[in-house]
Amino acid sequence: MRQIEIFYHVYRAGSISGAARNLNVSQPSVSKVLRHLEDQLGFDLFSREKGRLIATPEAQELYSDVEHIYDQIRMLRRSASNIRNRRGGHLRLGILPALSLSVAPELIARMRQSDPLFSFELTTLHSAEIAKDLYERRSGLCIGYEKFEDPRLRSFHLGEGRFVLVSGDAIQQDKRRIDSSILHETDFIGMRETGPLGALIGDVLSTQEVEPLEVVTTHTYHMALSLVRKRVGYAIADQYTAFSHLGTGLHRYMLDDFPTFQIYANVLADHADDELVDHTVATLRSILNEFDETISSLVTPHP
């Protein structure tokens, strides 16, 4: 590990002195480790030209692997430091990007209000990554749109969401509900998403024989709603994205001819802390229920 660290910093700094300065060690110690590494490898890593160290072709080939390993070492050190300094409970939370904008911050805020010593590690991931992330224990609990029929996992139903049509200009006055026919042969911002929501949107539009003009295809809701804000076209988003800060100032309409989608929390069946799982699931259900009530008040006309 020390040899990897020395090689990494000499390569980046281009000098023994620069590497020593970055590592806060003496120049002779850097030179000694570097020479020992070259002896073990059986080839030179650097040549000296006009006072600078120039990486050899062999060093350049080696560097990409060393960079990856060094990043892993840094992550290991950071994880060890976090564990050492942790004062309370901890949850490694994996969540879909769409739900990370509003649901995740609210969950973290509420759980830290109930226990200020509680800490989180938050990762955004796609639907196809959830099971693997749990199997490899990179996340302790993941929130997504699918229930897993797998004895190694437990799934908890949290609630259901709706699809929302988002536009830069008002489509109709005094109504906040609409059907997808408005999209037929209309400029549209499509989402290139392989997850269940992307597939569901495509299936519904096909069934309804609605053919929008997909003028832009993007991979993120952030970009899609930014394009809507520029009046490039309409977009379809889940309600949590549409009514997050990304949708502020835009016109949002519930799509009445679209089905709802389900939201689940998933954990390993042998998760070590059932009390933590139950508390997190209960908090998530409360958040989603309140979110639904808030959106309902926004889209239902007042008498």
Side-chain angles (χ1 to χ4, degrees):
M1 288 175 63
R2 187 59 172 168
Q3 290 174 338
I4 289 171
E5 187 174 47
I6 292 293
F7 170 70
Y8 175 87
H9 281 280
V10 172
Y11 188 99
R12 294 290 296 268
S15 67
I16 297 293
S17 60
R21 188 164 50 249
N22 291 336
L23 291 168
N24 197 29
V25 297
S26 68
Q27 293 185 40
S29 66
V30 172
S31 297
K32 181 179 179 180
V33 172
L34 186 60
R35 282 196 304 271
H36 186 56
L37 175 58
E38 289 178 322
D39 289 342
Q40 285 188 312
L41 292 172
F43 53 81
D44 291 337
L45 293 170
F46 300 94
S47 61
R48 188 175 295 277
E49 295 182 16
K50 297 180 180 179
R52 284 188 59 83
L53 293 182
I54 306 300
T56 64
E58 292 82 1
Q60 293 173 9
E61 185 176 345
L62 198 63
Y63 178 73
S64 60
D65 289 333
V66 167
E67 185 177 34
H68 174 71
I69 295 170
Y70 188 67
D71 286 342
Q72 296 298 310
I73 292 171
R74 284 192 294 194
M75 290 175 59
L76 176 62
R77 287 175 175 165
R78 185 168 65 248
S79 294
S81 176
N82 290 339
I83 293 170
R84 182 173 60 252
N85 297 322
R86 193 175 295 156
R87 296 175 296 165
H90 182 75
L91 176 63
R92 288 173 291 118
L93 178 66
I95 190 165
L96 301 178
L99 299 173
S100 69
L101 298 170
S102 50
V103 175
E106 185 64 26
L107 171 67
I108 292 171
R110 292 194 187 190
M111 291 186 69
R112 281 186 50 78
Q113 284 173 0
S114 63
D115 182 0
L117 298 181
F118 206 91
S119 62
F120 288 83
E121 180 180 338
L122 179 62
T123 302
T124 56
L125 38 74
H126 296 287
S127 295
E129 300 171 308
I130 287 178
K132 186 173 186 290
D133 210 67
L134 289 169
Y135 296 149
E136 296 180 357
R137 300 181 186 271
R138 290 196 295 265
S139 293
L141 183 147
C142 290
I143 307 170
Y145 300 133
E146 293 181 285
K147 177 181 180 180
F148 294 98
E149 302 297 338
D150 186 324
R152 294 172 293 177
L153 301 176
R154 284 191 293 161
S155 295
F156 301 85
H157 186 253
L158 301 177
E160 61 182 25
R162 299 289 303 271
F163 288 99
V164 179
L165 177 66
V166 186
S167 68
D169 298 307
I171 300 174
Q172 55 189 17
Q173 298 296 327
D174 302 325
K175 290 180 68 177
R176 290 295 178 265
R177 295 181 181 274
I178 207 165
D179 64 67
S180 60
S181 63
I182 191 72
L183 292 172
H184 188 65
E185 297 184 350
T186 302
D187 290 347
F188 181 67
I189 300 156
M191 284 289 297
R192 183 65 55 83
E193 182 182 352
T194 57
L197 292 198
L200 185 56
I201 290 172
D203 290 344
V204 172
L205 292 178
S206 178
T207 300
Q208 302 289 352
E209 298 184 346
V210 173
E211 297 183 5
L213 303 175
E214 192 164 311
V215 296
V216 182
T217 304
T218 183
H219 293 265
T220 67
Y221 288 111
H222 183 280
M223 180 62 73
L225 296 195
S226 295
L227 290 165
V228 171
R229 201 175 298 280
K230 293 295 184 180
R231 274 62 174 180
V232 173
Y234 297 142
I236 294 176
D238 64 276
Q239 64 183 32
Y240 305 102
T241 300
F243 286 90
S244 71
H245 68 277
L246 293 181
T248 302
L250 297 175
H251 297 270
R252 297 161 289 192
Y253 304 89
M254 287 293 186
L255 283 162
D256 278 340
D257 57 349
F258 266 64
T260 59
F261 55 87
Q262 306 307 308
I263 303 171
Y264 295 91
N266 299 283
V267 300
L268 287 173
D270 62 353
H271 193 286
D273 194 339
D274 287 341
E275 184 177 347
L276 172 60
V277 171
D278 291 342
H279 177 49
T280 305
V281 168
T283 305
L284 283 166
R285 285 173 175 159
S286 176
I287 290 169
L288 294 181
N289 183 61
E290 291 174 19
F291 203 101
D292 288 343
E293 291 176 355
T294 300
I295 293 176
S296 179
S297 69
L298 293 173
V299 301
T300 303
H302 295 290

